[in-house]
């Protein structure tokens, strides 16, 4: 059996979002230098193989077409990875200044030789704005792999031949609610469509813009609209409000440009035209359903399922219009989300607390939980008959209802809430021991008894779900590919775009058939294992393999280890038996692992985690007289709260210990598969390698094997909704073992809340003694690569995770500039060519087998086969992107990763980057399966997620978390961005894959 990925709270294995695109242009004449593979790379101090500073980059207008620094043409065509007749290039020359000084100093040491280049900043030739930047164009289409046909959830949309016009809308008095804005405009259209609007049916974005097919009879006009407040209900006093609406012509959208762009004759997408068409196709669904972002939800699409604690799941669909090679495409996908159940408030509170609230008083912790659960939730009153006024909850009273009084006039005559509701509405409050809801602002807060309120339907829940709720939601969302495809087709038919009055008005026609797309299935790479095993190499089958008869290619030695047991249910004899079995598995897998711990297994309570860790650390140190403890095993309770995070923080930032956590349920069960999986993780945490690509050993990977190449992965994780003060965490990992590219060192830093640009890629600061000092994660990892391999990187491949399309330009401009500056700070003229690839998983393109009954075209889960790649029809009209499903499905419908190469100076072909990316997905260290996202991006996500634990103590201390450069920060001083730095990782931790 293959070793599956472990899914548990202690050693979390997350599926991450990624999207990657890539752009490549026409090659120029190659120079015969070390950087094109026709000569040995020169030591870092020699700069004869690089251009002078004023030539490191061409003028901005030609920047996107720059080529000639990447590998030979033969390398580009070597997509089948034929055996190479030449060995890997290795530099044997001694290294001298300035890099020699770097290797003997700290990573933050001054590099005076690079100072003048560094200060040039954008003067290196990189465009300073997105206007002068164009992503590299597609170099051609891939040919490697067996061809097949897949279906995609894209529906062809015919481009309308009508004029699209934009009008500005001003509503007075100003309205902040989009739903109220829409109600006002709907009334305007009802009253004036046949007269003043010239029979036009406009589409409205809910804010400031109105769109029409053809011009309105006027360029400017003012309307007076009276609207009855729908929330006052029938039979009650209906309030009528009057609004002044001014409609003013703004511009005409040029559909000719859109046609040129779709035909590949223009590089820039006319966003205005695309936005108009998107709004038009969303107009009817916005009226029918509950819109959330680009998705629509309704309890009528499928019966809601209870998630617990007052929540329920609603089904819906995602919809977005996209420019593709086949023309305009409407991307439709199924969606599910958690909504607050429209219950009476008392019933919601009872579910939230999980107990009867009518007969017993509430504790302080109960009040806190209720306040947190109801804050910001909209409720409607039920004590006024047909009058259903709505309010948003702002808080909870600290006193029970029976004790609440308030002034009823200007002379501060006081009346109790109980008396007021009885006299005013004839409503007797039964449960006076419960607190009241507070609605309105702090200056004028109103009290509403819980039993007089009901939660308004259609409110999405945006906070964190607990594990039980996540499991329940996954049951709803997890659909087999065939079922998902059928639901998508039914959604398209139900939406009946051919009958949509707005689509008709604008002349848009939507196909009801899934797009049929040509795809290729890339071959799996051969994997290399140790020569002493029965199987020295392995060819994975359908994305998976196992460790039977194999030994790790670089098994590490663990002589000194200890174990702490934090689980009361695990007896010492059971823990001892588990440790013995684990040690044996590590030995069988190829490690030299001492069968006995250095000190007896220590039992401790979870609340004493820091005390226990330091006790074991000092007990070991005293016994071994200062020798380093190599590994700490920790047995945790299955539900361990903050224990896991606290343990990792203390071990990695305080004690400098490498740790491996195991849940008690696995300790009792002792599965061979689980033990094998843990042994893989331990080996890489100790600095070993489990397997490598056979082509890497044989130096047959185009544009990686020819010259020293470093592969980066980068990601930024943001705090959850509602956490307004927590920092965002950035992580960067980089390969340290050319030519194998399997081991990755990682660095983390905290930065400003929801900042997507990675701030600490490169930085300088003034030191009173040393002057201007250079640092940052890219620079530190380049130095680390040089120390580990004896080579300076002559090529950079940068996989960037988690960037949305709207941020492509900004991220590329900022982060590529930081890479340039980091390189220049190490040595003048040191500018290795860079390929910058964005990886995205949070998209809605799904690929289905052309024939679900054909077992040869699907894996066991019914999904498309691992290695399936698509770079035509549904991809970008001109830029270099592709969809790659690199993994076998387990359950549900597989989501392919979307790769987009934004910048490429290495001259990758389509086959080159697709094959490299797919092959790397088989080198993920934590399991014997190919993974869905290229490992460097995956590792960066894991590292960023791990670093989130380092911020927790600061957050608990003062309510706000810190930020800064966790890899090099000293103490906890506040950085330039006004946020506290993360505690520094210990040096021995930084060198290994601690995040695995």
């Amino acid at each position: 059996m293959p070793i599956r990925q472990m899914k548990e709270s202690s050693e979390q294995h997350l599926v991450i979002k990624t999207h990657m695109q890539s752009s490549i242009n026409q090659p120029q004449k190659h120079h015969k230098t070390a950087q094109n593979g026709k000569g040995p790379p020169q030591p870092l101090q020699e700069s004869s193989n690089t251009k002078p500073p004023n030539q490191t980059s061409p003028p901005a207008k030609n920047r996107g077409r720059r080529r000639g620094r990447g590998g030979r043409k033969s390398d580009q065509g070597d997509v089948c990875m034929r055996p190479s007749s030449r060995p890997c290039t290795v530099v044997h020359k001694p290294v001298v200044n300035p890099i020699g000084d770097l290797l003997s100093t700290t990573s933050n040491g001054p590099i005076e030789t690079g100072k003048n280049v560094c200060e040039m900043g954008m003067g290196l030739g990189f465009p300073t704005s997105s206007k002068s930047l164009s992503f590299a164009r597609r170099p051609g289409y891939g040919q490697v792999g067996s061809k097949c046909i897949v279906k995609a959830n894209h529906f062809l949309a015919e481009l309308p031949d009508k004029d699209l016009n934009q009008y500005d809308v001003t509503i007075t008095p100003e309205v902040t609610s989009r739903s109220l804005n829409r109600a006002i405009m709907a009334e305007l259209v009802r009253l004036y469509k046949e007269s003043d609007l010239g029979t036009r049916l406009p589409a409205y974005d809910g804010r400031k813009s109105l769109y029409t097919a053809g011009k309105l009879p006027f360029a400017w006009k003012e309307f007076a609209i009276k609207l009855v407040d729908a929330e006052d209900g029938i039979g009650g006093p209906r309030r009528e409000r009057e609004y002044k609406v001014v409609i003013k012509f703004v511009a005409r959208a040029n559909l000719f440009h859109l046609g040129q762009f779709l035909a590949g004759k223009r590089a820039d997408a006319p966003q205005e035209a695309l936005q108009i068409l998107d709004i038009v196709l969303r107009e009817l669904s916005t009226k029918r359903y509950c819109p959330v972002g680009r998705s629509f939800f309704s309890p009528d699409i499928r019966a809601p399922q209870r998630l617990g604690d007052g929540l329920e799941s609603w089904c819906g669909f995602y919809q977005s219009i996209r420019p593709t090679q086949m023309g305009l495409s409407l991307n439709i996908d199924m969606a599910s989300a958690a909504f607050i159940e429209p219950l009476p408030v008392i019933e919601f509170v009872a579910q939230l607390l999980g107990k009867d609230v009518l007969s017993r008083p509430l504790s302080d912790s109960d009040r806190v939980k209720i306040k947190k659960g109801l804050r910001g939730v909209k409720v409607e009153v039920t004590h006024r008959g047909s009058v259903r006024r709505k309010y948003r909850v702002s808080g909870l009273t600290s006193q029970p209802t029976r004790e609440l009084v308030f002034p009823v006039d200007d002379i501060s005559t006081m009346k109790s809430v109980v008396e007021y509701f009885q006299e005013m509405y004839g409503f007797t409050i039964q449960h006076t021991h419960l607190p009241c809801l507070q609605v309105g602002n702090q200056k004028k807060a109103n009290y509403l008894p819980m039993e007089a309120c009901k939660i308004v339907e259609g409110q999405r829940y945006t906070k964190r779900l607990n594990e039980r709720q996540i499991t329940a939601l996954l049951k709803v969302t997890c659909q087999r590919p065939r079922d998902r495809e059928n639901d998508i087709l039914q959604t398209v038919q139900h939406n009946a775009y051919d009958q949509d009055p707005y689509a008709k008005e604008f002349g848009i026609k939507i196909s009801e058939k899934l797009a049929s797309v040509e795809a290729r299935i890339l071959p799996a790479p051969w994997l290399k294992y140790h020569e002493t095993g029965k199987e020295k190499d392995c060819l994975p089958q359908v994305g998976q393999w196992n460790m039977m008869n194999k030994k790790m290619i670089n098994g590490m030695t663990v002589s000194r280890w200890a174990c702490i047991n934090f689980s009361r249910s695990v007896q010492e004899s059971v823990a001892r038996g588990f440790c013995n079995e684990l040690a044996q598995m590590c030995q069988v897998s190829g490690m030299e692992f001492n069968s006995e711990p250095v000190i007896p297994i220590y039992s401790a309570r979870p609340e004493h985690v820091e005390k226990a860790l330091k006790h074991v650390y000092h007990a070991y140190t005293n016994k071994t007289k200062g020798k380093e403890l190599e590994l700490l095993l920790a047995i945790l309770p299955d539900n361990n709260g903050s224990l896991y995070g606290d343990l990792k923080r203390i071990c990695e930032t305080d004690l400098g210990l490498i740790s491996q956590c195991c849940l008690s349920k696995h300790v009792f069960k002792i599965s061979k598969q689980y033990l094998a999986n843990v042994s893989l993780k331990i080996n890489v945490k100790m600095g070993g390698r489990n397997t490598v690509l056979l082509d890497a050993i044989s130096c047959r990977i185009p544009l990686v094997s020819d010259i020293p190449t470093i592969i980066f992965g980068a990601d930024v994780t943001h705090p959850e909704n509602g956490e307004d003060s927590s920092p965002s965490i950035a992580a960067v990992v980089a390969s340290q073992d050319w030519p194998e590219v399997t081991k990755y060192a990682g660095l983390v830093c905290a930065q400003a809340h929801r900042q997507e640009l990675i701030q600490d890629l490169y930085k300088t600061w003034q030191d009173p003694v040393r002057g201007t000092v250079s640092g940052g994660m890219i620079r530190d990892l380049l130095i680390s690569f040089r120390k580990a391999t004896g080579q300076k990187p002559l090529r950079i491949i940068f996989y960037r995770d988690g960037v949305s399309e709207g941020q492509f330009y900004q991220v590329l401009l900022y982060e590529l500039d930081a890479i340039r500056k980091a390189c220049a700070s190490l040595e003048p003229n040191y500018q290795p060519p860079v390929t910058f690839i964005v990886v995205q998983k949070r998209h809605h393109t799904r690929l289905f087998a052309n024939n679900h009954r054909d077992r040869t075209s699907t894996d066991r889960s019914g999904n498309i086969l691992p290695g399936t790649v698509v770079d035509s029809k549904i991809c970008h009209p001109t830029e270099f992107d592709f969809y790659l499903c690199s993994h076998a499905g387990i359950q549900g419908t597989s989501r392919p990763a979307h790769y987009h190469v934004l910048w490429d100076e290495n001259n990758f072909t389509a086959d080159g980057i697709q094959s490299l990316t797919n092959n790397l997905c088989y080198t993920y260290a934590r399991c014997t399966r190919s993974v869905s996202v290229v490992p460097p991006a995956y590792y960066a996500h894991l590292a960023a997620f791990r670093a989130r634990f380092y911020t927790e103590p600061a957050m608990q201390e003062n309510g706000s978390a810190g930020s800064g450069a966790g890899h090099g920060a000293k103490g906890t001083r506040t950085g330039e961005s006004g946020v506290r730095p993360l505690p520094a990782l210990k040096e021995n931790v930084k060198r290994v894959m601690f995040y695995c």
Side-chain angles (χ1 to χ4, degrees), residues 171 173-187 204 206 225 227-231 241 243:
I171 298 176
E174 186 177 355
V175 176
T176 56
S177 165
R178 294 182 75 169
S179 59
L180 181 53
N181 278 338
R182 290 184 184 281
I184 294 167
M185 293 305 298
E187 179 68 5
Y204 178 50
I225 302 297
L227 200 65
V228 173
D229 191 338
E231 295 184 0
R241 298 181 179 178
Y243 300 92

Side-chain angles (χ1 to χ4, degrees), residues 26 130 159 179 216 323 333 370 377 399 417 505 512 637 734 806 888 945:
Q26 297 303 317
S130 60
L159 191 67
S179 59
L216 295 174
D333 190 24
I370 295 170
V377 174
Q399 299 166 286
V417 169
E505 173 80 11
E512 292 191 349
F945 187 81

